[in-house]
Amino acid sequence: MRPLFTWLMPVLAWGVVLWRAPSAFAGRVNRSLWGSFTAIAAGVSVRPAAVETALADLTGIRDVTLLVKHLTGLAAAYFLLEYVQAVRGGPRRAGAARARLLFTGAAAVALTLLFVFALPHDYDGAFGIDAHYGDPGVELYLSVFNTAFAVAALRAAVLFWSNRASVSPGPLRVGVTCMAMASATGVLYTLYRVYFVLSHGDATQLDAGGKPVPLTDPVCELLPAVMIVLFVLGVSIPPARVLVGYLRDQYALWRLHPLWADVTAAVPQVVLGTSSGRLRDLLTFGDRSVDLAHRVFAIRDAALVLREDSQAPGGTVAVDTGIDAGIVTGIDAGEHLASVEARWLRTAVRHRARNLAAPAPPAALDVTAGGRSSREEIAWMLAVADAYRGPGGSGSGT
């Protein structure tokens, strides 16, 4: 588990930091969440031996990574608590916010003073303290950190869990639940670490290089990793829904494009917005749901124009026998209506290209053909577009 914790966790944490960096400028709430992940990333990044050595050489303190790890842990818990307090809503009490800041600041100052004046510094790295469990200064140092971290994590877990009731079911509630579970995992890790030290501490063993054997086990390694993964899931699941929606809309636009391009070329006045090709569609970012709705409405409006064209004076109900004559002479009872509409649109577009009036639509396609809602209409038009691209379809795709 140690290689996983040592290398994968920093990569994962810094990935979230970079991803969320633009949101840090979007307001205090997002800035607090970003600050929490930045502190987590900084804390887990001091674990590799190369980083420990570099920090020791830079500061001249052999075990400075111990202090960095605990100070960043306090900062992460503080910013996370500020975030959940902000998203909880309600009146913001300046006194409560000041008390949280003073509590965290006092704990950080106490840790720093104890680290400088009360801890022995005779071994390198964050595990040097493992040689001195039972020392009063070490016990006081760990008590300060464990108390401050556990209190903040427990408060955050309670608030995240209580906020679930005000969040509608879906990805956002799942994200809030993951954040609550991550905070609870932080509390569990602190309690387990206290138990582990009390039951295994003050039994120093040195390795072949004369360094203390870290007092840790798979659970001590696993719980922080689980906590970070849950935090990442908590902030990733809600935006993932946006990404899934974007990809779904892009795929729908791709499927619609041949039909849309043909009918809007035949009836250009129904185009909503700027016409674009398939490649440009793929390179367009942002919310595509409006563009998708516009394309569907344009196809439906074009179909209505073609209907009116077939009913205008001088319009024709006959179809060139070389082009889908079966549309007006009879419809197989088992043929799907979407295929019927696709065949009629194909024929109407071809007639328009020959400066002929559109043929009359089959009786099966009354004016209510399609969906009863925007979502149903999109699903219907996608079925029509699939049939339009099928065998015998024009499928221009331009």
PDB file of all heavy atoms in Angstrom, residues 171-186:
ATOM      1  N   PRO A 171     -26.702  12.927  -8.937  1.00  0.00           N
ATOM      2  CA  PRO A 171     -25.249  13.022  -8.770  1.00  0.00           C
ATOM      3  C   PRO A 171     -24.821  13.981  -7.672  1.00  0.00           C
ATOM      4  O   PRO A 171     -23.833  13.726  -6.982  1.00  0.00           O
ATOM      5  CB  PRO A 171     -24.771  13.502 -10.145  1.00  0.00           C
ATOM      6  CG  PRO A 171     -25.832  13.040 -11.092  1.00  0.00           C
ATOM      7  CD  PRO A 171     -27.117  13.150 -10.327  1.00  0.00           C
ATOM      8  N   LEU A 172     -25.543  15.102  -7.510  1.00  0.00           N
ATOM      9  CA  LEU A 172     -25.138  16.061  -6.486  1.00  0.00           C
ATOM     10  C   LEU A 172     -25.268  15.454  -5.095  1.00  0.00           C
ATOM     11  O   LEU A 172     -24.384  15.637  -4.245  1.00  0.00           O
ATOM     12  CB  LEU A 172     -25.976  17.333  -6.597  1.00  0.00           C
ATOM     13  CG  LEU A 172     -25.565  18.479  -5.662  1.00  0.00           C
ATOM     14  CD1 LEU A 172     -24.102  18.848  -5.888  1.00  0.00           C
ATOM     15  CD2 LEU A 172     -26.457  19.699  -5.878  1.00  0.00           C
ATOM     16  N   ARG A 173     -26.355  14.726  -4.856  1.00  0.00           N
ATOM     17  CA  ARG A 173     -26.502  14.086  -3.545  1.00  0.00           C
ATOM     18  C   ARG A 173     -25.440  13.013  -3.348  1.00  0.00           C
ATOM     19  O   ARG A 173     -24.905  12.863  -2.241  1.00  0.00           O
ATOM     20  CB  ARG A 173     -27.893  13.471  -3.391  1.00  0.00           C
ATOM     21  CG  ARG A 173     -28.063  12.724  -2.067  1.00  0.00           C
ATOM     22  CD  ARG A 173     -29.459  12.196  -1.871  1.00  0.00           C
ATOM     23  NE  ARG A 173     -30.412  13.255  -1.567  1.00  0.00           N
ATOM     24  CZ  ARG A 173     -31.670  13.036  -1.212  1.00  0.00           C
ATOM     25  NH1 ARG A 173     -32.122  11.787  -1.111  1.00  0.00           N
ATOM     26  NH2 ARG A 173     -32.481  14.040  -0.964  1.00  0.00           N
ATOM     27  N   VAL A 174     -25.115  12.280  -4.393  1.00  0.00           N
ATOM     28  CA  VAL A 174     -24.052  11.283  -4.286  1.00  0.00           C
ATOM     29  C   VAL A 174     -22.734  11.967  -3.925  1.00  0.00           C
ATOM     30  O   VAL A 174     -21.967  11.473  -3.095  1.00  0.00           O
ATOM     31  CB  VAL A 174     -23.913  10.493  -5.604  1.00  0.00           C
ATOM     32  CG1 VAL A 174     -22.710   9.553  -5.534  1.00  0.00           C
ATOM     33  CG2 VAL A 174     -25.172   9.683  -5.864  1.00  0.00           C
ATOM     34  N   GLY A 175     -22.469  13.126  -4.559  1.00  0.00           N
ATOM     35  CA  GLY A 175     -21.249  13.857  -4.251  1.00  0.00           C
ATOM     36  C   GLY A 175     -21.200  14.309  -2.810  1.00  0.00           C
ATOM     37  O   GLY A 175     -20.160  14.180  -2.137  1.00  0.00           O
ATOM     38  N   VAL A 176     -22.309  14.838  -2.295  1.00  0.00           N
ATOM     39  CA  VAL A 176     -22.359  15.266  -0.896  1.00  0.00           C
ATOM     40  C   VAL A 176     -22.165  14.072   0.037  1.00  0.00           C
ATOM     41  O   VAL A 176     -21.472  14.159   1.056  1.00  0.00           O
ATOM     42  CB  VAL A 176     -23.689  15.983  -0.603  1.00  0.00           C
ATOM     43  CG1 VAL A 176     -23.829  16.283   0.880  1.00  0.00           C
ATOM     44  CG2 VAL A 176     -23.785  17.272  -1.401  1.00  0.00           C
ATOM     45  N   THR A 177     -22.758  12.948  -0.316  1.00  0.00           N
ATOM     46  CA  THR A 177     -22.594  11.741   0.500  1.00  0.00           C
ATOM     47  C   THR A 177     -21.137  11.304   0.539  1.00  0.00           C
ATOM     48  O   THR A 177     -20.617  10.912   1.589  1.00  0.00           O
ATOM     49  CB  THR A 177     -23.464  10.603  -0.058  1.00  0.00           C
ATOM     50  OG1 THR A 177     -24.830  11.028  -0.087  1.00  0.00           O
ATOM     51  CG2 THR A 177     -23.344   9.355   0.807  1.00  0.00           C
ATOM     52  N   CYS A 178     -20.462  11.360  -0.604  1.00  0.00           N
ATOM     53  CA  CYS A 178     -19.035  11.004  -0.642  1.00  0.00           C
ATOM     54  C   CYS A 178     -18.215  11.943   0.234  1.00  0.00           C
ATOM     55  O   CYS A 178     -17.282  11.497   0.923  1.00  0.00           O
ATOM     56  CB  CYS A 178     -18.523  11.046  -2.076  1.00  0.00           C
ATOM     57  SG  CYS A 178     -19.085   9.682  -3.113  1.00  0.00           S
ATOM     58  N   MET A 179     -18.546  13.228   0.228  1.00  0.00           N
ATOM     59  CA  MET A 179     -17.820  14.172   1.071  1.00  0.00           C
ATOM     60  C   MET A 179     -18.053  13.872   2.549  1.00  0.00           C
ATOM     61  O   MET A 179     -17.129  13.966   3.367  1.00  0.00           O
ATOM     62  CB  MET A 179     -18.250  15.604   0.748  1.00  0.00           C
ATOM     63  CG  MET A 179     -17.977  16.036  -0.671  1.00  0.00           C
ATOM     64  SD  MET A 179     -16.222  16.202  -1.051  1.00  0.00           S
ATOM     65  CE  MET A 179     -15.921  17.860  -0.472  1.00  0.00           C
ATOM     66  N   ALA A 180     -19.282  13.499   2.902  1.00  0.00           N
ATOM     67  CA  ALA A 180     -19.575  13.129   4.286  1.00  0.00           C
ATOM     68  C   ALA A 180     -18.793  11.884   4.685  1.00  0.00           C
ATOM     69  O   ALA A 180     -18.224  11.812   5.791  1.00  0.00           O
ATOM     70  CB  ALA A 180     -21.073  12.901   4.462  1.00  0.00           C
ATOM     71  N   MET A 181     -18.760  10.902   3.785  1.00  0.00           N
ATOM     72  CA  MET A 181     -18.031   9.671   4.079  1.00  0.00           C
ATOM     73  C   MET A 181     -16.526   9.920   4.174  1.00  0.00           C
ATOM     74  O   MET A 181     -15.827   9.304   4.993  1.00  0.00           O
ATOM     75  CB  MET A 181     -18.336   8.628   3.014  1.00  0.00           C
ATOM     76  CG  MET A 181     -19.775   8.148   3.008  1.00  0.00           C
ATOM     77  SD  MET A 181     -20.158   7.082   1.586  1.00  0.00           S
ATOM     78  CE  MET A 181     -19.046   5.709   1.898  1.00  0.00           C
ATOM     79  N   ALA A 182     -16.010  10.830   3.347  1.00  0.00           N
ATOM     80  CA  ALA A 182     -14.589  11.165   3.411  1.00  0.00           C
ATOM     81  C   ALA A 182     -14.250  11.810   4.750  1.00  0.00           C
ATOM     82  O   ALA A 182     -13.229  11.472   5.375  1.00  0.00           O
ATOM     83  CB  ALA A 182     -14.225  12.098   2.265  1.00  0.00           C
ATOM     84  N   SER A 183     -15.105  12.736   5.198  1.00  0.00           N
ATOM     85  CA  SER A 183     -14.870  13.370   6.494  1.00  0.00           C
ATOM     86  C   SER A 183     -14.948  12.353   7.621  1.00  0.00           C
ATOM     87  O   SER A 183     -14.130  12.376   8.548  1.00  0.00           O
ATOM     88  CB  SER A 183     -15.887  14.492   6.715  1.00  0.00           C
ATOM     89  OG  SER A 183     -15.830  15.455   5.684  1.00  0.00           O
ATOM     90  N   ALA A 184     -15.923  11.460   7.536  1.00  0.00           N
ATOM     91  CA  ALA A 184     -16.047  10.422   8.556  1.00  0.00           C
ATOM     92  C   ALA A 184     -14.832   9.492   8.543  1.00  0.00           C
ATOM     93  O   ALA A 184     -14.377   9.029   9.601  1.00  0.00           O
ATOM     94  CB  ALA A 184     -17.326   9.625   8.331  1.00  0.00           C
ATOM     95  N   THR A 185     -14.289   9.226   7.355  1.00  0.00           N
ATOM     96  CA  THR A 185     -13.084   8.401   7.258  1.00  0.00           C
ATOM     97  C   THR A 185     -11.907   9.086   7.936  1.00  0.00           C
ATOM     98  O   THR A 185     -11.057   8.432   8.558  1.00  0.00           O
ATOM     99  CB  THR A 185     -12.748   8.103   5.789  1.00  0.00           C
ATOM    100  OG1 THR A 185     -13.868   7.475   5.169  1.00  0.00           O
ATOM    101  CG2 THR A 185     -11.538   7.191   5.679  1.00  0.00           C
ATOM    102  N   GLY A 186     -11.848  10.425   7.827  1.00  0.00           N
ATOM    103  CA  GLY A 186     -10.802  11.169   8.522  1.00  0.00           C
ATOM    104  C   GLY A 186     -10.905  11.010  10.025  1.00  0.00           C
ATOM    105  O   GLY A 186      -9.889  10.855  10.723  1.00  0.00           O
TER     106      GLY A 186
END
